[in-house]
Amino acid sequence: MKKGIDGKTGIMGIIGGNISKTLSPYLHNSLIKHYLLNDCYLPFQITLKQLSLAVEGIRALNIRGVNVTVPYKEKSMEFMDKVDDAAMRIGAINTIVNNHELLYGYNTDYTGFKRSLLEGTETKIQGKNAVVLGAGGAARAILYALCQEGIKEILIFNRTLDKAEIIKREYHSYFPESLIQIFSLKDKCLQDKIAGTDFLINTTPLGSYPDVDLNPLPEDIVINQNLIAYDLIYYPTKTSFLRQAEKVGAIIKNGAEMLVYQAVESFYLWTGIRPEKEIVQKLIHDLANENHF
Ligand code: ATR
């Protein structure tokens, strides 16, 4: 913000069910301050009953745009004037842009994930294999990114097979070149599949605060040291799953970079500014060092 709030300050924010711990205000207000914008990013905690009114309020109050978080990423799509193709296929939006009272829905979780994996690294997705744990909304976004980048094969392990089956069917029609197979999280073949994979990605909440001792993998699983272990969880910064992978020498990555990159992509949609590498790296560093807590 340039000189504090005045009559022209633009409002952005986040709507969600329980956002008392959200880091989005920290990330966006840091970007607003860095670029000396006359804007402000606020948290709006709402109930499901309030969702349609809250979205209408974006128009009525001339809010520039909002992020949408759990549990409204799917439901809020209904209230958009237009939804971006990728977001439609993923089945969720996390960003709403108010363009002269027309509301556009986007998904920057999948682009954020992709950038977190590829930017500034030698990592390639094309022709590789991934084991993905979980088949919820977050999994749908990262699977979309992996398929779009030409991954060869994805093995989804989930507690509920039906949900994984739906993803397999839908994504096969969008990305016929990528082979998707589904298994129960309890399937004994998990060990074999992990041994031959390039990416092992946890999209379940197992291991997140406060149940930090939980791990989506059975205790006796051996992780291959040549893979990249990615946990979408960012707090704690090193989950039990990531510690297990680190111990064998695998490359590990938590959800902090994805969180920063999805924020940066939303910020671009609202402001037209593409944050430079330095400020992006600073935000990633802040999260890694828990400077915001
Ligand atoms: P998100 O939008 O963050 O992905 P979600 O849609 O609720 O959240 O999905 C969470 C994922 O974690 C799901 O795949 C869920 O498995 P189910 O499809 O069987 O519900 C998985 N998950 C959550 N808690 C779990 C647990 N205790 N054990 C195993 N899987 C779990």
Side-chain angles (χ1 to χ4, degrees):
M1 217 179 309
K2 214 170 172 182
K3 294 183 201 133
I5 289 171
D6 62 24
K8 290 189 182 142
T9 301
I11 306 294
M12 300 180 268
I14 179 165
I15 57 176
N18 179 3
I19 50 174
S20 58
K21 296 249 177 356
T22 177
L23 299 178
S24 293
Y26 173 78
L27 295 172
H28 285 283
N29 287 314
S30 299
L31 290 169
I32 287 167
K33 203 164 147 193
H34 180 80
Y35 289 104
L36 302 174
L37 304 181
N38 189 2
D39 287 303
C40 181
Y41 186 102
L42 302 167
F44 300 108
Q45 184 157 316
I46 57 166
T47 62
L48 178 61
K49 232 173 92 190
Q50 293 161 332
L51 181 62
S52 71
L53 278 175
V55 175
E56 232 6 81
I58 297 171
R59 268 190 262 265
L61 299 173
N62 196 23
I63 290 173
R64 295 185 70 170
V66 296
N67 282 126
V68 182
T69 189
V70 182
Y72 307 131
K73 290 185 182 188
E74 293 85 10
K75 179 83 182 155
S76 56
M77 288 173 77
E78 291 172 23
F79 309 116
M80 297 299 105
D81 295 298
K82 191 170 184 322
V83 174
D84 164 74
D85 283 348
M88 193 65 105
R89 288 174 166 193
I90 291 165
I93 57 171
N94 75 327
T95 306
I96 299 174
V97 176
N98 180 5
N99 188 355
H100 303 289
E101 292 191 35
L102 285 178
L103 301 184
Y104 294 85
Y106 295 89
N107 187 307
T108 69
D109 286 331
Y110 91 95
T111 37
F113 170 76
K114 204 153 67 172
R115 286 185 68 181
S116 75
L117 205 53
L118 301 179
E119 213 141 293
T121 72
E122 302 278 295
T123 308
K124 298 262 180 308
I125 296 174
Q126 194 171 20
K128 299 283 177 68
N129 304 316
V131 167
V132 175
L133 310 173
R140 288 185 68 100
I142 67 118
L143 285 161
Y144 194 87
L146 293 171
C147 290
Q148 207 184 42
E149 284 300 304
I151 194 139
K152 191 169 84 194
E153 188 179 39
I154 301 176
L155 311 175
I156 306 174
F157 285 81
N158 197 44
R159 184 176 57 181
T160 314
L161 269 182
D162 290 0
K163 250 196 242 173
E165 179 65 46
I166 292 169
I167 302 184
K168 179 182 165 175
R169 202 172 47 237
E170 289 182 6
Y171 281 37
H172 176 70
S173 68
Y174 308 142
F175 304 104
E177 325 73 41
S178 299
L179 178 67
I180 299 179
Q181 295 194 63
I182 60 169
F183 303 91
S184 157
L185 197 52
K186 288 194 182 131
D187 198 308
K188 290 274 174 275
C189 73
L190 181 60
Q191 176 65 76
D192 272 0
K193 303 299 184 192
I194 285 179
T197 199
D198 300 301
F199 303 104
L200 174 59
I201 305 169
N202 175 39
T203 73
T204 77
L206 298 171
S208 61
Y209 186 81
D211 299 316
V212 295
D213 292 329
L214 295 181
N215 188 324
L217 297 175
E219 238 171 61
D220 54 350
I221 287 274
V222 180
I223 296 180
N224 155 23
Q225 66 161 350
N226 300 318
L227 56 71
I228 295 181
Y230 196 129
D231 201 329
L232 262 52
I233 295 167
Y234 53 82
Y235 188 59
T237 52
K238 220 180 265 179
T239 54
S240 154
F241 160 63
L242 287 186
R243 286 199 308 268
Q244 190 182 346
E246 190 179 42
K247 230 187 275 172
V248 296
I251 297 171
I252 62 165
K253 211 175 210 1
N254 70 19
E257 282 186 33
M258 176 176 167
L259 186 74
V260 171
Y261 280 115
Q262 65 75 31
V264 159
E265 294 277 322
S266 299
F267 186 78
Y268 168 71
L269 289 171
W270 297 322
T271 65
I273 297 171
R274 283 215 174 276
E276 293 101 348
K277 213 161 126 194
E278 290 69 29
I279 179 72
V280 173
Q281 287 308 319
K282 183 196 172 297
L283 293 174
I284 290 171
H285 181 265
D286 285 355
L287 260 54
N289 292 285
E290 303 186 8
N291 288 350
H292 54 281
F293 290 119

mmCIF file of all heavy atoms in Angstrom, residues 199-239:
data_model
loop_
_atom_site.group_PDB
_atom_site.id
_atom_site.type_symbol
_atom_site.label_atom_id
_atom_site.label_comp_id
_atom_site.label_asym_id
_atom_site.label_seq_id
_atom_site.Cartn_x
_atom_site.Cartn_y
_atom_site.Cartn_z
ATOM 1 N N PHE A 199 8.318 -39.334 -9.474
ATOM 2 C CA PHE A 199 7.736 -38.394 -8.510
ATOM 3 C C PHE A 199 6.817 -39.151 -7.554
ATOM 4 O O PHE A 199 6.024 -39.992 -7.999
ATOM 5 C CB PHE A 199 6.875 -37.333 -9.215
ATOM 6 C CG PHE A 199 7.601 -36.535 -10.254
ATOM 7 C CD1 PHE A 199 7.403 -36.779 -11.606
ATOM 8 C CD2 PHE A 199 8.480 -35.522 -9.896
ATOM 9 C CE1 PHE A 199 8.068 -36.045 -12.571
ATOM 10 C CE2 PHE A 199 9.152 -34.780 -10.852
ATOM 11 C CZ PHE A 199 8.950 -35.042 -12.200
ATOM 12 N N LEU A 200 6.928 -38.827 -6.281
ATOM 13 C CA LEU A 200 6.020 -39.383 -5.272
ATOM 14 C C LEU A 200 5.382 -38.180 -4.577
ATOM 15 O O LEU A 200 6.074 -37.404 -3.908
ATOM 16 C CB LEU A 200 6.818 -40.238 -4.282
ATOM 17 C CG LEU A 200 6.047 -40.784 -3.076
ATOM 18 C CD1 LEU A 200 4.863 -41.649 -3.510
ATOM 19 C CD2 LEU A 200 6.981 -41.611 -2.177
ATOM 20 N N ILE A 201 4.079 -38.022 -4.792
ATOM 21 C CA ILE A 201 3.435 -36.763 -4.365
ATOM 22 C C ILE A 201 2.310 -37.034 -3.377
ATOM 23 O O ILE A 201 1.381 -37.805 -3.670
ATOM 24 C CB ILE A 201 2.876 -36.016 -5.604
ATOM 25 C CG1 ILE A 201 4.001 -35.808 -6.631
ATOM 26 C CG2 ILE A 201 2.268 -34.672 -5.191
ATOM 27 C CD1 ILE A 201 3.529 -35.321 -7.976
ATOM 28 N N ASN A 202 2.386 -36.404 -2.209
ATOM 29 C CA ASN A 202 1.313 -36.534 -1.225
ATOM 30 C C ASN A 202 0.355 -35.357 -1.333
ATOM 31 O O ASN A 202 0.743 -34.206 -1.133
ATOM 32 C CB ASN A 202 1.875 -36.577 0.198
ATOM 33 C CG ASN A 202 0.742 -36.600 1.221
ATOM 34 O OD1 ASN A 202 -0.278 -37.264 1.013
ATOM 35 N ND2 ASN A 202 0.900 -35.840 2.292
ATOM 36 N N THR A 203 -0.921 -35.661 -1.634
ATOM 37 C CA THR A 203 -1.931 -34.593 -1.686
ATOM 38 C C THR A 203 -2.941 -34.763 -0.553
ATOM 39 O O THR A 203 -3.905 -34.027 -0.487
ATOM 40 C CB THR A 203 -2.692 -34.618 -3.031
ATOM 41 O OG1 THR A 203 -3.581 -35.746 -3.048
ATOM 42 C CG2 THR A 203 -1.749 -34.680 -4.213
ATOM 43 N N THR A 204 -2.745 -35.779 0.308
ATOM 44 C CA THR A 204 -3.656 -35.961 1.446
ATOM 45 C C THR A 204 -3.228 -35.017 2.581
ATOM 46 O O THR A 204 -2.096 -34.536 2.592
ATOM 47 C CB THR A 204 -3.627 -37.421 1.980
ATOM 48 O OG1 THR A 204 -2.438 -37.590 2.763
ATOM 49 C CG2 THR A 204 -3.664 -38.441 0.869
ATOM 50 N N PRO A 205 -4.123 -34.786 3.545
ATOM 51 C CA PRO A 205 -3.716 -33.918 4.668
ATOM 52 C C PRO A 205 -2.925 -34.664 5.740
ATOM 53 O O PRO A 205 -2.599 -34.080 6.773
ATOM 54 C CB PRO A 205 -5.057 -33.419 5.216
ATOM 55 C CG PRO A 205 -6.048 -34.459 4.837
ATOM 56 C CD PRO A 205 -5.553 -35.142 3.599
ATOM 57 N N LEU A 206 -2.609 -35.942 5.513
ATOM 58 C CA LEU A 206 -1.945 -36.739 6.554
ATOM 59 C C LEU A 206 -0.531 -36.225 6.839
ATOM 60 O O LEU A 206 0.325 -36.219 5.950
ATOM 61 C CB LEU A 206 -1.904 -38.211 6.149
ATOM 62 C CG LEU A 206 -3.286 -38.863 5.975
ATOM 63 C CD1 LEU A 206 -3.167 -40.239 5.358
ATOM 64 C CD2 LEU A 206 -4.006 -38.936 7.312
ATOM 65 N N GLY A 207 -0.328 -35.788 8.072
ATOM 66 C CA GLY A 207 0.975 -35.243 8.471
ATOM 67 C C GLY A 207 0.937 -33.741 8.681
ATOM 68 O O GLY A 207 1.905 -33.134 9.120
ATOM 69 N N SER A 208 -0.225 -33.130 8.351
ATOM 70 C CA SER A 208 -0.315 -31.664 8.531
ATOM 71 C C SER A 208 -0.630 -31.356 10.001
ATOM 72 O O SER A 208 -1.088 -32.228 10.756
ATOM 73 C CB SER A 208 -1.383 -31.076 7.618
ATOM 74 O OG SER A 208 -2.647 -31.620 7.935
ATOM 75 N N TYR A 209 -0.385 -30.129 10.380
ATOM 76 C CA TYR A 209 -0.646 -29.668 11.738
ATOM 77 C C TYR A 209 -2.128 -29.838 12.067
ATOM 78 O O TYR A 209 -2.946 -29.527 11.201
ATOM 79 C CB TYR A 209 -0.231 -28.195 11.842
ATOM 80 C CG TYR A 209 -0.322 -27.651 13.231
ATOM 81 C CD1 TYR A 209 0.693 -27.891 14.148
ATOM 82 C CD2 TYR A 209 -1.431 -26.903 13.614
ATOM 83 C CE1 TYR A 209 0.594 -27.389 15.440
ATOM 84 C CE2 TYR A 209 -1.533 -26.410 14.902
ATOM 85 C CZ TYR A 209 -0.526 -26.663 15.801
ATOM 86 O OH TYR A 209 -0.628 -26.176 17.067
ATOM 87 N N PRO A 210 -2.586 -30.315 13.211
ATOM 88 C CA PRO A 210 -1.789 -30.664 14.383
ATOM 89 C C PRO A 210 -1.360 -32.145 14.437
ATOM 90 O O PRO A 210 -0.622 -32.505 15.336
ATOM 91 C CB PRO A 210 -2.749 -30.348 15.535
ATOM 92 C CG PRO A 210 -4.094 -30.626 14.987
ATOM 93 C CD PRO A 210 -4.025 -30.367 13.503
ATOM 94 N N ASP A 211 -1.840 -32.984 13.475
ATOM 95 C CA ASP A 211 -1.503 -34.417 13.546
ATOM 96 C C ASP A 211 -0.205 -34.696 12.804
ATOM 97 O O ASP A 211 -0.170 -35.415 11.804
ATOM 98 C CB ASP A 211 -2.650 -35.253 12.966
ATOM 99 C CG ASP A 211 -3.939 -35.047 13.745
ATOM 100 O OD1 ASP A 211 -3.875 -35.040 14.987
ATOM 101 O OD2 ASP A 211 -4.989 -34.848 13.116
ATOM 102 N N VAL A 212 0.863 -34.103 13.309
ATOM 103 C CA VAL A 212 2.125 -34.077 12.561
ATOM 104 C C VAL A 212 2.840 -35.429 12.493
ATOM 105 O O VAL A 212 3.759 -35.586 11.693
ATOM 106 C CB VAL A 212 3.092 -33.010 13.124
ATOM 107 C CG1 VAL A 212 2.519 -31.616 12.932
ATOM 108 C CG2 VAL A 212 3.388 -33.267 14.588
ATOM 109 N N ASP A 213 2.396 -36.395 13.304
ATOM 110 C CA ASP A 213 3.070 -37.702 13.255
ATOM 111 C C ASP A 213 2.469 -38.638 12.206
ATOM 112 O O ASP A 213 3.027 -39.695 11.931
ATOM 113 C CB ASP A 213 3.033 -38.384 14.628
ATOM 114 C CG ASP A 213 3.897 -37.626 15.621
ATOM 115 O OD1 ASP A 213 4.890 -37.027 15.165
ATOM 116 O OD2 ASP A 213 3.542 -37.599 16.811
ATOM 117 N N LEU A 214 1.350 -38.239 11.619
ATOM 118 C CA LEU A 214 0.722 -39.106 10.612
ATOM 119 C C LEU A 214 1.541 -39.090 9.323
ATOM 120 O O LEU A 214 2.236 -38.108 9.014
ATOM 121 C CB LEU A 214 -0.709 -38.647 10.314
ATOM 122 C CG LEU A 214 -1.699 -38.746 11.470
ATOM 123 C CD1 LEU A 214 -3.083 -38.286 11.024
ATOM 124 C CD2 LEU A 214 -1.763 -40.178 11.993
ATOM 125 N N ASN A 215 1.440 -40.216 8.602
ATOM 126 C CA ASN A 215 2.194 -40.356 7.353
ATOM 127 C C ASN A 215 1.298 -41.130 6.385
ATOM 128 O O ASN A 215 0.706 -42.137 6.773
ATOM 129 C CB ASN A 215 3.480 -41.147 7.672
ATOM 130 C CG ASN A 215 4.437 -41.200 6.506
ATOM 131 O OD1 ASN A 215 4.036 -41.276 5.360
ATOM 132 N ND2 ASN A 215 5.731 -41.165 6.809
ATOM 133 N N PRO A 216 1.148 -40.658 5.151
ATOM 134 C CA PRO A 216 0.268 -41.384 4.218
ATOM 135 C C PRO A 216 0.821 -42.747 3.816
ATOM 136 O O PRO A 216 0.079 -43.607 3.329
ATOM 137 C CB PRO A 216 0.206 -40.451 2.997
ATOM 138 C CG PRO A 216 1.447 -39.628 3.080
ATOM 139 C CD PRO A 216 1.758 -39.471 4.535
ATOM 140 N N LEU A 217 2.125 -42.973 4.028
ATOM 141 C CA LEU A 217 2.752 -44.239 3.643
ATOM 142 C C LEU A 217 2.801 -45.205 4.828
ATOM 143 O O LEU A 217 3.038 -44.775 5.959
ATOM 144 C CB LEU A 217 4.196 -44.001 3.179
ATOM 145 C CG LEU A 217 4.377 -43.132 1.939
ATOM 146 C CD1 LEU A 217 5.867 -42.898 1.688
ATOM 147 C CD2 LEU A 217 3.733 -43.789 0.725
ATOM 148 N N PRO A 218 2.626 -46.512 4.563
ATOM 149 C CA PRO A 218 2.819 -47.473 5.648
ATOM 150 C C PRO A 218 4.266 -47.406 6.157
ATOM 151 O O PRO A 218 5.170 -47.027 5.399
ATOM 152 C CB PRO A 218 2.558 -48.824 4.974
ATOM 153 C CG PRO A 218 1.827 -48.514 3.705
ATOM 154 C CD PRO A 218 2.227 -47.139 3.306
ATOM 155 N N GLU A 219 4.452 -47.811 7.415
ATOM 156 C CA GLU A 219 5.759 -47.658 8.080
ATOM 157 C C GLU A 219 6.912 -48.354 7.362
ATOM 158 O O GLU A 219 8.032 -47.856 7.319
ATOM 159 C CB GLU A 219 5.661 -48.241 9.484
ATOM 160 C CG GLU A 219 5.987 -47.224 10.564
ATOM 161 C CD GLU A 219 5.649 -47.807 11.914
ATOM 162 O OE1 GLU A 219 6.246 -48.829 12.272
ATOM 163 O OE2 GLU A 219 4.788 -47.210 12.598
ATOM 164 N N ASP A 220 6.597 -49.566 6.792
ATOM 165 C CA ASP A 220 7.680 -50.376 6.232
ATOM 166 C C ASP A 220 8.037 -50.036 4.778
ATOM 167 O O ASP A 220 8.873 -50.694 4.166
ATOM 168 C CB ASP A 220 7.308 -51.860 6.340
ATOM 169 C CG ASP A 220 5.950 -52.153 5.715
ATOM 170 O OD1 ASP A 220 5.234 -51.176 5.383
ATOM 171 O OD2 ASP A 220 5.602 -53.330 5.556
ATOM 172 N N ILE A 221 7.448 -49.010 4.231
ATOM 173 C CA ILE A 221 7.734 -48.661 2.821
ATOM 174 C C ILE A 221 9.150 -48.086 2.704
ATOM 175 O O ILE A 221 9.577 -47.264 3.517
ATOM 176 C CB ILE A 221 6.710 -47.604 2.320
ATOM 177 C CG1 ILE A 221 5.351 -48.244 2.117
ATOM 178 C CG2 ILE A 221 7.203 -46.894 1.060
ATOM 179 C CD1 ILE A 221 5.107 -48.891 0.776
ATOM 180 N N VAL A 222 9.849 -48.560 1.671
ATOM 181 C CA VAL A 222 11.186 -48.020 1.416
ATOM 182 C C VAL A 222 11.086 -47.066 0.229
ATOM 183 O O VAL A 222 10.576 -47.432 -0.837
ATOM 184 C CB VAL A 222 12.178 -49.161 1.089
ATOM 185 C CG1 VAL A 222 13.573 -48.597 0.829
ATOM 186 C CG2 VAL A 222 12.195 -50.185 2.208
ATOM 187 N N ILE A 223 11.573 -45.845 0.420
ATOM 188 C CA ILE A 223 11.501 -44.848 -0.656
ATOM 189 C C ILE A 223 12.785 -44.891 -1.465
ATOM 190 O O ILE A 223 13.887 -44.965 -0.925
ATOM 191 C CB ILE A 223 11.253 -43.434 -0.064
ATOM 192 C CG1 ILE A 223 9.895 -43.399 0.630
ATOM 193 C CG2 ILE A 223 11.333 -42.371 -1.152
ATOM 194 C CD1 ILE A 223 9.543 -42.077 1.258
ATOM 195 N N ASN A 224 12.598 -44.847 -2.778
ATOM 196 C CA ASN A 224 13.716 -44.873 -3.709
ATOM 197 C C ASN A 224 14.437 -43.517 -3.694
ATOM 198 O O ASN A 224 13.795 -42.471 -3.811
ATOM 199 C CB ASN A 224 13.068 -45.229 -5.065
ATOM 200 C CG ASN A 224 13.809 -44.769 -6.260
ATOM 201 O OD1 ASN A 224 15.011 -44.547 -6.198
ATOM 202 N ND2 ASN A 224 13.080 -44.639 -7.362
ATOM 203 N N GLN A 225 15.749 -43.526 -3.583
ATOM 204 C CA GLN A 225 16.480 -42.260 -3.424
ATOM 205 C C GLN A 225 16.528 -41.421 -4.702
ATOM 206 O O GLN A 225 16.867 -40.237 -4.663
ATOM 207 C CB GLN A 225 17.908 -42.513 -2.935
ATOM 208 C CG GLN A 225 18.772 -43.235 -3.923
ATOM 209 C CD GLN A 225 20.244 -43.071 -3.617
ATOM 210 O OE1 GLN A 225 20.649 -42.272 -2.781
ATOM 211 N NE2 GLN A 225 21.063 -43.857 -4.287
ATOM 212 N N ASN A 226 16.159 -42.011 -5.844
ATOM 213 C CA ASN A 226 16.231 -41.252 -7.099
ATOM 214 C C ASN A 226 14.980 -40.457 -7.422
ATOM 215 O O ASN A 226 14.891 -39.845 -8.474
ATOM 216 C CB ASN A 226 16.505 -42.201 -8.274
ATOM 217 C CG ASN A 226 17.816 -42.919 -8.082
ATOM 218 O OD1 ASN A 226 18.793 -42.311 -7.659
ATOM 219 N ND2 ASN A 226 17.813 -44.214 -8.325
ATOM 220 N N LEU A 227 13.992 -40.512 -6.542
ATOM 221 C CA LEU A 227 12.756 -39.801 -6.880
ATOM 222 C C LEU A 227 12.695 -38.421 -6.219
ATOM 223 O O LEU A 227 13.507 -38.085 -5.349
ATOM 224 C CB LEU A 227 11.532 -40.645 -6.502
ATOM 225 C CG LEU A 227 11.337 -41.155 -5.067
ATOM 226 C CD1 LEU A 227 10.990 -40.048 -4.102
ATOM 227 C CD2 LEU A 227 10.244 -42.207 -5.056
ATOM 228 N N ILE A 228 11.710 -37.636 -6.673
ATOM 229 C CA ILE A 228 11.411 -36.358 -6.015
ATOM 230 C C ILE A 228 10.176 -36.602 -5.158
ATOM 231 O O ILE A 228 9.130 -37.030 -5.666
ATOM 232 C CB ILE A 228 11.132 -35.250 -7.048
ATOM 233 C CG1 ILE A 228 12.396 -34.976 -7.873
ATOM 234 C CG2 ILE A 228 10.632 -33.980 -6.357
ATOM 235 C CD1 ILE A 228 12.237 -33.874 -8.911
ATOM 236 N N ALA A 229 10.317 -36.382 -3.862
ATOM 237 C CA ALA A 229 9.178 -36.526 -2.944
ATOM 238 C C ALA A 229 8.589 -35.142 -2.713
ATOM 239 O O ALA A 229 9.298 -34.219 -2.303
ATOM 240 C CB ALA A 229 9.636 -37.135 -1.624
ATOM 241 N N TYR A 230 7.312 -35.017 -3.005
ATOM 242 C CA TYR A 230 6.659 -33.701 -2.938
ATOM 243 C C TYR A 230 5.470 -33.829 -2.009
ATOM 244 O O TYR A 230 4.620 -34.703 -2.192
ATOM 245 C CB TYR A 230 6.194 -33.325 -4.356
ATOM 246 C CG TYR A 230 5.842 -31.862 -4.565
ATOM 247 C CD1 TYR A 230 6.389 -31.138 -5.610
ATOM 248 C CD2 TYR A 230 4.931 -31.213 -3.742
ATOM 249 C CE1 TYR A 230 6.066 -29.810 -5.831
ATOM 250 C CE2 TYR A 230 4.610 -29.881 -3.946
ATOM 251 C CZ TYR A 230 5.163 -29.191 -4.992
ATOM 252 O OH TYR A 230 4.824 -27.876 -5.198
ATOM 253 N N ASP A 231 5.406 -32.978 -0.998
ATOM 254 C CA ASP A 231 4.267 -32.957 -0.087
ATOM 255 C C ASP A 231 3.571 -31.612 -0.239
ATOM 256 O O ASP A 231 4.213 -30.569 -0.090
ATOM 257 C CB ASP A 231 4.746 -33.158 1.359
ATOM 258 C CG ASP A 231 3.625 -33.641 2.260
ATOM 259 O OD1 ASP A 231 2.464 -33.274 1.991
ATOM 260 O OD2 ASP A 231 3.910 -34.392 3.213
ATOM 261 N N LEU A 232 2.288 -31.633 -0.533
ATOM 262 C CA LEU A 232 1.560 -30.365 -0.699
ATOM 263 C C LEU A 232 1.415 -29.609 0.630
ATOM 264 O O LEU A 232 1.114 -28.424 0.647
ATOM 265 C CB LEU A 232 0.180 -30.625 -1.317
ATOM 266 C CG LEU A 232 0.082 -30.396 -2.826
ATOM 267 C CD1 LEU A 232 1.165 -31.137 -3.588
ATOM 268 C CD2 LEU A 232 -1.269 -30.804 -3.356
ATOM 269 N N ILE A 233 1.639 -30.308 1.720
ATOM 270 C CA ILE A 233 1.567 -29.670 3.046
ATOM 271 C C ILE A 233 2.752 -28.709 3.197
ATOM 272 O O ILE A 233 3.867 -29.026 2.781
ATOM 273 C CB ILE A 233 1.630 -30.759 4.152
ATOM 274 C CG1 ILE A 233 0.388 -31.652 4.059
ATOM 275 C CG2 ILE A 233 1.774 -30.138 5.551
ATOM 276 C CD1 ILE A 233 0.489 -32.937 4.873
ATOM 277 N N TYR A 234 2.500 -27.530 3.778
ATOM 278 C CA TYR A 234 3.620 -26.601 4.014
ATOM 279 C C TYR A 234 3.829 -26.306 5.502
ATOM 280 O O TYR A 234 4.793 -25.645 5.874
ATOM 281 C CB TYR A 234 3.441 -25.292 3.222
ATOM 282 C CG TYR A 234 2.106 -24.607 3.450
ATOM 283 C CD1 TYR A 234 1.888 -23.804 4.548
ATOM 284 C CD2 TYR A 234 1.068 -24.810 2.556
ATOM 285 C CE1 TYR A 234 0.661 -23.211 4.758
ATOM 286 C CE2 TYR A 234 -0.171 -24.213 2.752
ATOM 287 C CZ TYR A 234 -0.355 -23.411 3.851
ATOM 288 O OH TYR A 234 -1.577 -22.836 4.058
ATOM 289 N N TYR A 235 2.909 -26.800 6.335
ATOM 290 C CA TYR A 235 3.099 -26.633 7.771
ATOM 291 C C TYR A 235 2.690 -27.906 8.480
ATOM 292 O O TYR A 235 1.515 -28.267 8.401
ATOM 293 C CB TYR A 235 2.292 -25.440 8.287
ATOM 294 C CG TYR A 235 2.607 -25.098 9.727
ATOM 295 C CD1 TYR A 235 3.907 -24.764 10.101
ATOM 296 C CD2 TYR A 235 1.620 -25.135 10.700
ATOM 297 C CE1 TYR A 235 4.208 -24.470 11.419
ATOM 298 C CE2 TYR A 235 1.915 -24.828 12.022
ATOM 299 C CZ TYR A 235 3.208 -24.512 12.373
ATOM 300 O OH TYR A 235 3.510 -24.211 13.677
ATOM 301 N N PRO A 236 3.596 -28.647 9.068
ATOM 302 C CA PRO A 236 5.008 -28.307 9.252
ATOM 303 C C PRO A 236 5.783 -28.299 7.926
ATOM 304 O O PRO A 236 5.353 -28.926 6.956
ATOM 305 C CB PRO A 236 5.522 -29.440 10.153
ATOM 306 C CG PRO A 236 4.608 -30.576 9.924
ATOM 307 C CD PRO A 236 3.270 -29.991 9.618
ATOM 308 N N THR A 237 6.895 -27.595 7.930
ATOM 309 C CA THR A 237 7.673 -27.452 6.696
ATOM 310 C C THR A 237 8.280 -28.796 6.263
ATOM 311 O O THR A 237 8.513 -28.994 5.079
ATOM 312 C CB THR A 237 8.785 -26.404 6.865
ATOM 313 O OG1 THR A 237 9.521 -26.723 8.029
ATOM 314 C CG2 THR A 237 8.234 -25.003 6.982
ATOM 315 N N LYS A 238 8.528 -29.680 7.210
ATOM 316 C CA LYS A 238 9.042 -31.004 6.847
ATOM 317 C C LYS A 238 8.184 -32.063 7.525
ATOM 318 O O LYS A 238 8.329 -32.319 8.726
ATOM 319 C CB LYS A 238 10.503 -31.119 7.288
ATOM 320 C CG LYS A 238 11.372 -31.839 6.277
ATOM 321 C CD LYS A 238 12.806 -31.930 6.730
ATOM 322 C CE LYS A 238 13.670 -30.819 6.187
ATOM 323 N NZ LYS A 238 15.069 -30.911 6.673
ATOM 324 N N THR A 239 7.276 -32.648 6.765
ATOM 325 C CA THR A 239 6.375 -33.654 7.334
ATOM 326 C C THR A 239 7.134 -34.959 7.585
ATOM 327 O O THR A 239 8.261 -35.143 7.101
ATOM 328 C CB THR A 239 5.234 -33.951 6.339
ATOM 329 O OG1 THR A 239 5.834 -34.317 5.095
ATOM 330 C CG2 THR A 239 4.325 -32.757 6.144
#
